[in-house]
Amino acid sequence: MSSTPKVQTDADAARLAMTLPRLAEMKRQGEAIVMVTAYDFPSGEIVDAAGADIVLVGDSAAEVVLGYPSTVAVSLEEMLMLTAATRRGVRGALLIADLPFGSYEASDEIAITAAQRFVKEAGADAVKLEGGGEAQLSRIRAIVGSGIPVMGHVGLTPQTAIALGGRRAQGRTAQRALAVAAQARAVEAAGAFAIVFEAIPAAVAAELTPLLEIPVIGIGAGAGTDGQVLVLHDMLGIYPGRAPRPAKQYIELRSPILAAVGQYADEVRARSFPTAEQAFSIDPAELAAFREGLEAG
Ligand code: KIV
């Protein structure tokens, strides 16, 4: 890593930190809310500098940075470490951490303890948890009651995708769309300050969004929600192949990164890197004395 110090610009100083009342106001004013994931110091710093309103340390980290086959595998300790690293890079945006699978389901007390660890140890501003069933509603009420803001998440909930029949769009019949609506309303009533709609029909999300007072952030839920969220690594084109359906790849970084590392490897093998430009010098007299010292044993 370069040792370039972080310089605060005038634009940084002028930018106010995001707050929950400000997010609520953005919904009322019809201002689109920008949320994006980040998982470490450099990605947190860069999405914050790019002007994201909310940075989510998503449990998508399991797949995109830790290489697990699904989000289920990531541990509480791993998520805490990633959140703490991201916190060091994020200054203006609201920082939300995903409660990983297995860290909140067992009881309200366990959920509060996990949420408190994200706030106290990792510096998160809020936590997110998936689902709108009775147990999850109780967890939301308990965590909010303990003073920690909670973002809800309904529709496709990857942590319980197996129970949903796989990673597929939800709410595609009237009855199922009504079930999503009931969950979203219940999550709001439980005290969540915002909610993610994942992979539900655009028309369903557009009907529901104005019926909720809290901001609705969509992924694969069309353009009618109050804001959008994307997984950073899907946007950046780091992996081979196409980004998953709801994502848009804004840049293809895999090729230039491969080319850069490949060029470095070629230069090392050809012994053309490093050059004098990357090396440190020593005063010739000191070098001569050093050589004498070596010879003297
Ligand atoms: O884990 C994650 O990145 C998420 C977003 C896709 C909302 O939950």
Side-chain angles (χ1 to χ4, degrees), residues 35-39 56-62 64 71 79 98 128 130 151 153 156 158-159 196-198 217-219 229-232 234:
M35 174 161 140
V36 62
T37 68
Y39 311 101
L56 172 69
V57 185
D59 61 358
S60 49
V64 301
T71 60
M79 286 299 295
D98 248 339
K128 174 166 86 59
E130 293 185 5
M151 172 179 266
H153 183 153
L156 171 58
Q159 291 177 5
V196 168
F197 280 3
E198 178 165 354
I217 313 293
I219 176 164
V229 55
L230 279 183
V231 169
L232 183 66
D234 293 341

Side-chain angles (χ1 to χ4, degrees), residues 44-162:
E45 194 279 332
I46 207 159
V47 300
D48 191 61
D53 300 308
I54 303 175
V55 174
L56 172 69
V57 185
D59 61 358
S60 49
E63 296 167 16
V64 301
V65 300
L66 299 177
Y68 291 126
S70 83
T71 60
V72 166
V74 69
S75 70
L76 176 59
E77 299 303 325
E78 286 168 326
M79 286 299 295
L80 284 167
M81 191 268 280
L82 297 174
T83 305
T86 308
R87 169 80 282 168
R88 292 178 207 115
V90 172
R91 290 187 298 168
L94 194 78
L95 183 69
I96 303 180
D98 248 339
L99 291 182
F101 183 71
S103 72
Y104 62 96
E105 295 86 345
S107 72
D108 288 351
E109 290 69 27
I110 285 172
I112 292 172
T113 303
Q116 283 175 340
R117 290 193 68 191
F118 277 102
V119 173
K120 285 173 70 129
E121 296 172 29
D125 297 313
V127 296
K128 174 166 86 59
L129 67 83
E130 293 185 5
E134 264 319 308
Q136 292 95 337
L137 297 173
S138 175
R139 306 298 172 263
I140 294 172
R141 281 191 288 271
I143 298 169
V144 172
S146 78
I148 297 174
V150 176
M151 172 179 266
H153 183 153
V154 298
L156 171 58
T157 46
Q159 291 177 5
T160 46
I162 290 180

Side-chain angles (χ1 to χ4, degrees), residues 161-186:
I162 290 180
L164 297 175
R167 284 203 184 191
R168 52 173 59 177
Q170 302 294 306
R172 298 186 81 181
T173 64
Q175 195 189 4
R176 286 170 190 266
L178 285 169
V180 173
Q183 288 197 346
R185 286 183 150 130

